[in-house]
Amino acid sequence: MIKPLQLRITLQEERQADILIQKASQHLNVNVETISAVKVLRKSIDARKKTIILNYKVDVYLNEAPSEHPIYTFDYKDVSEEKEIHIIGFGPAGMWAALRCIELGFKPIVLERGKNVQERRRDIKAINQDHIVNDDSNYCFGEGGAGTYSDGKLYTRSLKRGDVRKIFENLVFHGATDQILVDAHPHIGTNKLPKVVQNIRETILKFGGEIHFETRVIDFNIKNNLIKSLMLHNGNELDVNKVILATGHSARDIYYLLHDKNVQLQAKSFAMGVRVEHPQHIIDGIQYHCKGEQRDELLPAASYSLVNQVNDRGVYSFCMCPGGFIVPAATAKGEVVVNGMSPSKRNNAFANSGIVVEINAERDLYKYEHHGALKGLEYQKDLERLAFTSGGRTQTAPAQRLTDFVEGRLSADLNSTSYQPGLQSSPMHSLLPKLIVGALRKGFKAFGEKMPGYYTSEANIIGVESRTSSPVNIPRNAQLAHPEILNLFPCGEGGGYAGGIVSAAMDGERCAEAACV
């Protein structure tokens, strides 16, 4: 017999051996000897009050052993001689599209402009240490996409888009810790995700798929509302049957290509702002009620999620990274973009998060209307160029103490930072658009009221956080194909249909299912 239970455990109780079995025995009023096992299904932390509680969702097994088999099996078969599906991009959407193609009996041929995870490391080191941006290999482009080297957070609210559990179990199948099946906010870590990504690549190759790195698509040969072939940067031309476009939200050349060919695109609302960085002990003190003390060893580095409405415009935290680093996420020369990441242990001295402002594509970009569907993209680019110039025309980022930004004064000096290329004190309160500055100022003050101690001169804001999501939507019909180009399946974050690793992976599976018919 299996009995589901919700258990609340204090930190002191958590230190006791077999505490879950003891608690389950009390709740069910049964002898401990009758409990064969307690299987944890979900674990979360409730730190709203001074007494911190660990919430467990469990299955209690009475006089029977739990199955050790996963819910899903991944029975891939050789597809080397089967029909081909071309996939452009090898981030989460492209990877799961390729895996699903194999499950469905089709051969995926993946074209990825960047390098594999091992070779990517050199280019990431170059942007951090030497301020050199490789347009095709960086924190956004390359095997595994942006998530590979910028965190690996798996939390998603997109529960209706597909089977989240299947995505998680596939990650475990390819080497991720099974803790991601339990944690309420699962996270692999940027130090461990590259190996998982490499294992996915090896699965695709083992079962007959193809992956071509450093292969950039530069043109589509379109006839009679179909893509007939793809032109590559090396001069080669590939005949195609169906194409899954999974290039991510930073592949701007793809948007320009489609726009120049008069393929229907739509401007999409998005969000932009800054990344704020606190010493981790400040966030721990606020969230765990331990100001002046070190957090309990059983607790992870504290995180937060904040949102506030300013004049009917959302200001909110994005991609919060406890115990993490801020990284340079530019994809072209002449721009500065920042993002955040955390290693698996989340043991760095700083906490960082994007704090961003909603940009409405219909009412906020009137100065950019002449760019049509690309108006949001051009707005992004202007702010990224501004950050590059004000930071000193390298990957050094413009920054300001949080309180100085809100109060409108240049910072005489800056706090220590995890951002390796370095910071340049800049008057971001006068450089960023008034729309963003005004909303951020009110948002930061509101956040300080919600989390006393958050609004502090010990925090820096660093600009710009501009790649939260795509500012362009590539439309698709009920069959997930483009309404004009009937064998093109826009997919994932680049199409405007996902907002992270898991939602992109689920969309990749859906597009593969639509294409493999």
Side-chain angles (χ1 to χ4, degrees), residues 362-373:
E362 297 302 316
R363 69 170 187 258
D364 294 331
L365 304 175
Y366 55 91
K367 292 183 179 179
Y368 292 79
E369 287 295 338
H370 59 287
H371 292 292

Side-chain angles (χ1 to χ4, degrees), residues 218 268 355 385 389 402 512:
I218 62 170
K268 175 178 159 292
I355 302 294
R385 293 190 192 108
T389 302
L402 172 56

Side-chain angles (χ1 to χ4, degrees), residues 117-325:
V117 286
Q118 293 86 356
E119 295 180 13
R120 246 179 115 179
R121 294 181 192 273
R122 300 189 188 96
D123 299 311
I124 286 171
K125 181 179 179 181
I127 193 172
N128 274 300
Q129 295 186 2
D130 305 318
H131 302 244
I132 298 171
V133 179
N134 182 324
D135 294 1
D136 289 319
S137 180
N138 44 60
Y139 274 100
C140 292
F141 298 151
E143 185 175 22
T148 304
Y149 285 110
S150 57
D151 205 68
K153 281 189 288 293
L154 302 177
Y155 180 69
T156 181
R157 293 185 177 91
S158 303
L159 302 181
K160 295 181 180 179
R161 298 189 186 186
D163 193 332
V164 174
R165 177 77 183 197
K166 183 182 178 185
I167 301 300
F168 284 3
E169 288 205 6
N170 206 331
L171 285 164
V172 173
F173 177 79
H174 284 101
T177 171
D178 59 7
Q179 190 65 30
I180 66 173
L181 303 175
V182 172
D183 288 342
H185 287 77
H187 172 250
I188 295 177
T190 196
N191 55 321
K192 294 188 175 182
L193 192 54
K195 180 59 178 176
V196 176
V197 168
Q198 180 181 328
N199 290 342
I200 292 173
R201 178 220 309 166
E202 290 172 355
T203 292
I204 293 168
L205 296 177
K206 176 182 177 181
F207 291 98
E210 296 181 14
I211 303 171
H212 301 272
F213 293 110
E214 298 182 73
T215 303
R216 178 160 42 88
V217 174
I218 62 170
D219 201 1
F220 302 128
N221 176 21
I222 301 173
K223 292 182 180 179
N224 299 323
N225 299 103
L226 296 172
I227 297 178
K228 296 295 186 179
S229 62
L230 304 174
M231 297 299 299
L232 307 181
H233 77 288
N234 57 15
N236 291 340
E237 183 174 6
L238 292 178
D239 292 335
V240 298
N241 179 30
K242 294 180 180 178
V243 177
I244 296 174
L245 186 64
T247 47
H249 61 44
S250 290
R252 290 170 169 169
D253 54 329
I254 293 295
Y255 298 135
Y256 286 122
L257 172 60
L258 294 172
H259 187 261
D260 290 345
K261 299 182 88 67
N262 294 315
V263 174
Q264 182 184 349
L265 301 173
Q266 298 169 348
K268 175 178 159 292
S269 297
F270 57 104
M272 291 185 69
V274 296
R275 193 150 278 265
V276 63
E277 183 171 58
H278 291 78
Q280 181 64 49
H281 69 82
I282 290 179
I283 305 302
D284 289 344
I286 296 169
Q287 300 294 69
Y288 294 145
H289 324 288
C290 60
K291 294 180 182 178
E293 304 174 17
Q294 196 168 18
R295 72 173 183 269
D296 192 288
E297 62 183 6
L298 293 179
L299 294 172
S303 62
Y304 59 83
S305 177
L306 293 166
V307 63
N308 193 62
Q309 290 293 315
V310 177
N311 299 326
D312 296 322
R313 188 185 303 277
V315 181
Y316 58 92
S317 58
F318 171 82
C319 184
M320 196 276 145
C321 300
F325 304 84

